[in-house]
């Protein structure tokens, strides 16, 4: 074995190389974690070992291994495309695998979320591909006794035009593995790209289509049992007693055990476990939230809106500008708690073994956190826990929490057997983690020309970060950055802007939901700017454009979607359109939504989307994610809502927490803006502007402003 040279380069770049003489060239690199990019709390960690690899074997086989979790967003295709492009190999010659997963070797955390995979991977993925290419060129040059500068590459072959010689990568790997690694290899010019920007079929699709892909719900471990858990009907409730005799007598049930979060029924199969749970008798002290209701939450939001707030942004003198404004406007918007509603409910298989080791099979977005949680639950060291990442039937942020992992490990430890813990849809809807509710209060002042001179925005909402401890907000001067994301960064050129935040203190479990705070701030800011345009008697698109002259990428997305939708043209009678633009996760989105009404029922016909996500990796993935964002956003805008009564979540399944069906899905037409900027995220940015564009279209059609989601029955009398 020959070890390549180790370089002290950027934290986002190459860490180590290892060549295996006579076998191949292996390059290891690290991908920054989601925490590093979005600025989650915690001390910076020292560099760690590689967690993803490129290997080129002596027979010419190229394998690219990554550890980002695939949950439908396309990373298992997009990230290898970046490496293959710089390596200069044919895509057809590449095989893709999950890398060996050892979360404990990455102190900063293996976590897939926040639309970060491609954004954080862009530099290290390009670098490792370019490093390998340059090392292979140098190996060929040494064999031929020429300068590497005289050599070129294409499709896994090195060429020397002057002597008409060529050699495949596989014949060079043994020598290349002995060479030093270039710290700053040259990158291809985008004009030379032959893989990036192409429509590459998703590598994970065939196994999903033919049914060979094994999801967590499908997983079977030899000798394993199935468990379901009876949890408190009210968040924070405490178990005071239970009678498991009826459940234990139910056919197929093996045992009934108490764990920290409730009582588990362990059985031979899912049906037996569920039937056994029906016979279980439990008693609870329902605690402080036993009287919680939607009405009490709403009243508390409005009460807090009248008090003091933590400042998130302050430009100019808003109070003075409002007092002198030619016209003043006020509006209040509200959004509800939302469930993630993943198609596959939570599940986890765990095996706490007699030898003190633990194996966990988890459809998780957070491998490191799952490993740490499993270790705590089992009472062992982290390095005694092996995490097997299982494909996810939807994530949307929900699977970056680890509550389902903890429960599975505790049950397995209690019974001494491998156990698959299954959540039903009702379990997850009523006992999961939620997108916070939020109340938004706006005030604005317009000058004599109708343009805004002042903008004031107050966000009242629970804090996801406060769940990690009060210090998370103390360090940010009382502001939850997620709660005001997209509001604090308002791009419109308004001379006086004030944004602040008030925390609602209620112990309903919260977690990161697709696009997080952008999901409601994108809606409310774009709806209120539309109100200003209407008050000014201006076209909504032109009004925005005047305010975005110094924000080229926002303006570009706005103008491109307006052009695509033929904004300003006459629609058929009974139809109208609305527009919105929003930036999140490094991507700029413009949307136009076309709607009609039929006897009080809203119909969304078409959604035009303009996407500036920087360098295009795979157009198919971008278009698929825009379709997905529209579907998810439409579900939330029309029907998404969790109500509370007597401390309990009212909704339980898709019959009363509706999601868009095929007949309700509009046509989505996506236009990708070509850009040389760094890649932005793509899994979430299409959602934030949708509800604003939709409700703006409703106003254009009916004259009714929708300021509270979901739209639901608000149009029944129109």
């Amino acid at each position: 074995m020959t070890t390549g040279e180790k370089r002290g380069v950027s934290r986002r770049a190459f860490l180590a190389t290892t060549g295996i003489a006579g076998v191949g060239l292996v390059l290891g690199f690290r991908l920054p974690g989601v925490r590093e990019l979005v600025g989650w709390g915690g001390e910076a960690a020292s560099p760690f070992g590689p967690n993803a690899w490129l290997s080129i074997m002596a027979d010419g086989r190229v394998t690219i291994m990554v550890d980002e979790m695939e949950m439908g967003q396309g990373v298992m295709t997009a990230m290898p495309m970046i490496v293959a492009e710089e390596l200069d190999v044919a895509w057809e010659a590449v095989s893709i695998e999950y890398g060996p997963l050892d979360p404990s070797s990455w102190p900063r955390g293996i976590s897939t979320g926040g639309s970060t995979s491609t954004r954080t991977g862009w530099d290290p993925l390009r670098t490792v591909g370019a490093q390998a290419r340059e090392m292979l060129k140098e190996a060929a040059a040494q064999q031929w006794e020429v300068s590497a500068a005289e050599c070129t590459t294409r499709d896994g072959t090195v060429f020397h035009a002057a002597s008409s010689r060529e050699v495949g990568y596989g014949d060079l790997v043994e020598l290349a593995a002995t060479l030093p690694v270039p710290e700053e290899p040259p990158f291809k010019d985008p004009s030379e790209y032959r893989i990036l920007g192409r429509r590459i079929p998703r590598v994970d699709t065939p196994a999903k289509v033919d049914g060979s892909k094994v999801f967590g719900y499908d997983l079977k471990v030899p000798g394993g049992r199935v468990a379901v858990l009876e949890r408190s009907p009210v968040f924070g409730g405490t178990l005071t007693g239970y009678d498991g005799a009826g459940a234990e007598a139910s056919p197929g049930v093996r045992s009934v055990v108490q764990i920290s979060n409730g009582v588990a029924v362990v059985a031979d199969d899912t049906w037996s476990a569920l039937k056994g749970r029906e016979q279980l008798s439990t008693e609870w002290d329902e605690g402080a939230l036993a009287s919680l209701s939607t009405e009490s939450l709403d009243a508390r939001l409005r009460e807090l809106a009248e008090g003091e707030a933590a400042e998130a942004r302050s430009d100019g003198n808003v109070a003075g500008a409002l007092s002198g404004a030619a016209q003043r406007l006020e509006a209040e918007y509200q959004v509800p708690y939302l469930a993630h509603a993943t198609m596959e409910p939570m599940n986890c298989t765990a095996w706490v073994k007699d030898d003190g080791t633990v194996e966990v099979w988890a459809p998780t977005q957070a491998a490191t956190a799952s490993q740490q949680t499993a270790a705590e639950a089992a009472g062992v060291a982290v390095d005694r826990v092996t995490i097997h990442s299982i494909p996810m039937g939807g994530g949307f942020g929900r699977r970056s929490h680890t509550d389902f992992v903890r429960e599975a490990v505790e049950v397995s430890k209690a019974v001494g057997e491998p156990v698959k813990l299954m959540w039903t849809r009702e379990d997850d809807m009523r006992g999961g983690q939620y997108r916070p509710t939020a109340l938004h209060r706006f005030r604005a002042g317009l000058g004599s020309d109708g343009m805004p001179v002042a903008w004031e925005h107050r966000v009242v909402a629970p804090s996801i970060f406060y769940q990690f401890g009060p210090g998370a907000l103390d360090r940010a001067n009382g502001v939850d950055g997620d709660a005001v994301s997209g509001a604090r960064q308002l791009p419109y050129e308004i001379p006086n802007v004030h944004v602040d935040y008030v925390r609602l203190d209620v112990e309903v479990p919260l977690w990161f939901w697709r696009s997080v705070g952008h999901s409601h701030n994108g809606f409310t800011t774009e709806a209120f700017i539309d109100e200003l345009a209407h008050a000014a008697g201006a076209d909504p698109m032109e009004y925005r454009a005047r305010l975005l002259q110094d924000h080229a990428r926002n303006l570009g997305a706005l103008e491109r979607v307006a052009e695509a939708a033929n904004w300003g043209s006459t629609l058929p009678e009974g139809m109208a359109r609305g527009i919105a633009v929003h930036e999140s996760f490094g991507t700029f989105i413009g949307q136009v939504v076309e709607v009609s009404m039929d006897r009080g029922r809203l119909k969304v016909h078409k959604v035009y989307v303009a996407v500036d996500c920087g360098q295009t990796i795979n157009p198919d993935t971008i278009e698929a994610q825009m379709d997905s964002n529209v579907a998810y956003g439409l579900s939330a805008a029309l029907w998404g809502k969790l109500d509370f009564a007597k401390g309990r979540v009212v909704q339980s399944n898709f019959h009363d927490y509706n999601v868009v069906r095929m007949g309700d899905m509009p046509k989505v037409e996506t236009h990708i803006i070509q850009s040389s900027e760094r890649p932005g995220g793509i899994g979430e940015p299409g959602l934030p502007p949708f509800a604003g564009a939709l409700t703006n279209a409703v106003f254009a059609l009916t004259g009714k402003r929708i300021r509270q989601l979901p739209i639901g029955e608000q149009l029944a009398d129109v």
Side-chain angles (χ1 to χ4, degrees):
M1 176 179 292
T2 304
T3 302
E5 187 176 348
K6 212 175 205 182
R7 301 285 188 176
V9 295
S10 164
R11 289 183 303 161
R12 290 180 182 237
F14 170 85
L15 279 183
T17 66
T18 303
I20 305 175
V23 178
L25 172 67
V26 180
L27 291 182
F29 56 97
R30 70 162 286 223
L31 304 179
V34 62
R35 294 175 180 272
E36 180 173 347
L37 191 72
V38 301
W40 288 5
E43 295 298 320
S46 58
F48 44 83
N51 68 312
W53 295 265
L54 159 67
S55 65
I56 308 168
M57 308 311 289
D59 61 4
R61 288 179 295 125
V62 177
T63 301
I64 299 171
M65 295 184 279
V66 297
D67 66 0
E68 292 291 320
M69 300 300 106
E70 177 63 69
M71 50 185 163
Q73 80 280 38
V75 294
M76 284 298 291
T77 307
M79 298 181 80
M81 286 175 67
I82 300 170
V83 179
E85 182 66 75
E86 287 293 345
L87 181 60
D88 213 357
V89 294
W91 178 252
E92 294 73 20
V94 173
S95 61
I96 300 163
E97 299 177 3
Y98 273 122
L101 190 58
D102 182 11
S104 63
S105 70
W106 192 0
R108 198 178 292 275
I110 295 177
S111 181
T112 303
S115 295
T116 58
S117 298
T118 302
R119 285 193 291 161
T120 60
W122 178 244
D123 282 338
L125 291 167
R126 285 199 304 162
T127 297
V128 78
Q131 284 172 330
R133 184 192 68 232
E134 292 304 301
M135 293 166 72
L136 291 159
K137 284 171 59 179
E138 179 61 33
Q142 289 187 16
Q143 282 189 0
W144 296 329
E145 297 183 345
V146 300
S147 168
E150 299 174 20
C151 300
T152 58
T153 60
R154 187 179 181 89
D155 289 345
T157 301
V158 181
F159 300 90
H160 185 248
S163 61
S164 299
R165 284 179 289 187
E166 62 182 71
V167 60
Y169 284 177
D171 294 325
L172 296 169
V173 292
E174 184 172 349
L175 176 56
T178 69
L179 300 177
V181 181
E183 292 188 32
E184 297 182 0
F187 295 132
K188 282 185 175 183
D189 187 275
S191 63
E192 301 174 327
Y193 287 166
R194 295 182 298 112
I195 293 177
L196 296 184
R198 276 177 54 191
R199 295 180 178 275
I200 301 290
R202 290 266 299 272
V203 299
D204 57 310
T205 297
K208 294 176 180 177
V209 173
D210 66 21
S212 60
K213 182 74 74 176
V214 176
F215 291 86
Y217 245 55
D218 309 318
L219 184 70
K220 293 183 179 180
V221 175
R225 308 295 183 190
V226 175
V228 294
L229 188 66
E230 183 75 1
R231 300 170 184 85
S232 172
V234 176
F235 295 114
T238 304
L239 183 70
T240 58
Y242 74 94
D243 182 353
E248 290 173 334
S250 185
V253 172
R254 295 288 178 167
S255 59
V256 175
V257 295
Q258 180 180 347
I259 64 170
S260 63
N261 202 32
V263 181
V265 177
V266 183
D268 293 330
D269 52 65
T270 306
W271 179 252
S272 297
L274 290 171
K275 297 303 290 183
R277 186 169 67 170
E278 291 177 2
Q279 306 304 314
L280 185 66
S281 175
T282 57
E283 297 177 359
W284 302 87
D285 177 351
E286 296 185 353
L289 294 186
S291 61
L292 182 70
S293 67
T294 299
E295 293 74 19
S296 65
L297 280 168
D298 290 349
R300 182 60 177 154
L301 284 169
R302 284 169 175 77
E303 178 185 349
L304 288 170
E306 302 294 339
E308 296 184 358
E311 182 181 286
R313 174 179 173 180
S314 184
D315 300 345
N317 182 355
V318 169
L322 282 170
S323 65
Q327 187 177 1
R328 289 186 292 274
L329 293 88
E330 296 185 4
E332 182 177 281
Y333 286 77
Q334 188 173 354
V335 297
Y337 284 97
L338 292 175
H340 296 79
T342 60
M343 196 58 61
E344 177 195 26
M346 300 302 102
N347 63 87
C348 178
T349 298
W351 188 2
V352 180
K353 301 180 180 179
D354 293 338
D355 63 2
T357 62
V358 181
E359 285 196 79
V360 175
W361 294 262
T364 176
Q365 295 176 238
T368 297
S370 293
Q371 186 185 41
Q372 293 168 344
T373 296
E376 292 170 3
V380 301
V382 171
D383 61 5
R384 303 288 284 170
V385 178
T386 300
I387 296 288
H388 305 278
S389 287
I390 302 299
M392 289 171 269
F396 313 124
R398 175 66 180 92
R399 284 188 157 92
S400 61
H401 204 284
T402 61
D403 51 347
F404 56 99
V405 175
R406 178 180 297 280
E407 291 176 347
V409 172
E410 288 185 2
V411 175
S412 176
K413 182 179 180 181
V415 300
E417 297 178 295
V419 172
K420 177 166 65 174
L421 179 72
M422 309 281 277
W423 291 50
T424 65
R425 176 86 55 217
E426 291 79 4
D427 290 340
D428 203 20
M429 197 73 72
R430 290 179 166 173
Q433 316 287 327
Y434 308 114
R435 198 283 305 270
T437 183
L439 180 73
H440 297 257
R441 282 197 174 171
F442 290 94
R443 291 199 302 167
L446 307 184
S448 57
D449 61 353
M451 302 308 291
V453 296
W455 175 282
E456 184 178 81
H457 182 184
R458 172 162 293 182
V459 182
V460 186
S463 169
I464 297 175
F465 285 110
Y466 193 81
Q467 294 179 140
F468 305 141
L473 263 61
D474 292 342
R475 290 189 294 270
N477 298 317
V479 177
D480 183 307
D482 272 340
V484 298
S485 57
R488 178 159 51 188
Q489 301 86 1
L490 185 76
Y492 297 114
E493 286 297 324
I494 303 172
N496 304 283
V497 176
H498 184 86
V499 180
D500 56 27
Y501 168 74
V502 183
R503 182 176 67 88
L504 170 64
D505 186 9
V506 59
E507 295 182 7
V508 173
L510 310 173
W511 203 242
F512 306 99
W513 188 90
R514 194 173 193 174
S515 78
V516 203
H518 289 281
S519 67
H520 51 91
N521 287 309
F523 157 54
T524 57
T525 56
E526 283 302 291
F528 191 57
I529 202 75
D530 227 63
E531 295 201 40
L532 304 193
H534 178 72
D539 176 87
M541 182 271 170
E542 294 175 358
Y543 195 77
R544 286 174 170 81
R546 288 182 63 184
L547 294 168
L548 291 172
Q549 291 302 308
D550 294 332
H551 297 267
R553 296 181 73 184
N554 295 85
L555 181 60
L558 177 73
E559 291 179 336
R560 180 64 176 274
V561 78
E563 177 186 13
N566 200 15
W567 183 267
S569 64
T570 302
L571 287 170
E573 185 176 355
M575 292 185 65
R577 56 168 73 96
I579 195 167
V581 62
H582 190 80
E583 182 269 330
S584 62
F585 308 99
T587 292
F588 300 77
I589 302 284
Q591 290 183 345
V592 170
V593 176
E594 294 180 348
V595 302
S596 69
M597 290 287 296
D598 182 13
R599 290 170 290 188
R601 188 176 187 275
L602 181 65
K603 173 69 175 178
V604 182
H605 294 270
K606 191 169 184 178
V607 180
Y608 297 88
V609 185
V611 185
D612 176 0
C613 58
Q615 171 64 50
T616 297
I617 308 300
N618 189 339
D620 275 354
T621 296
I622 295 171
E623 292 172 358
Q625 286 304 300
M626 292 305 103
D627 292 349
S628 173
N629 275 270
V630 167
Y632 208 70
L634 180 58
S635 297
L638 290 183
W639 307 295
K641 184 183 183 184
L642 290 179
D643 291 305
F644 295 87
K646 296 182 179 179
R648 292 156 169 79
V649 175
V650 174
Q651 287 76 13
S652 63
N653 209 316
F654 288 143
H655 70 286
D656 55 5
Y657 189 87
N658 206 358
V659 296
V660 63
R661 268 62 169 181
M662 292 180 68
D664 299 310
M665 185 64 189
K667 180 179 180 181
V668 181
E669 182 178 302
T670 297
H671 298 261
I672 301 171
I673 298 173
Q674 297 304 314
S675 171
S676 59
E677 298 284 346
R678 294 173 56 83
I682 206 62
E684 299 169 276
L687 190 149
F690 176 78
L694 175 63
T695 56
N696 293 339
V698 170
F699 175 76
L701 180 67
T702 67
K704 182 172 183 175
R705 284 286 177 196
I706 301 295
R707 297 192 181 99
Q708 183 169 349
L709 295 183
I711 295 173
E713 302 300 320
Q714 295 182 61
L715 299 176
D717 58 348
V718 174

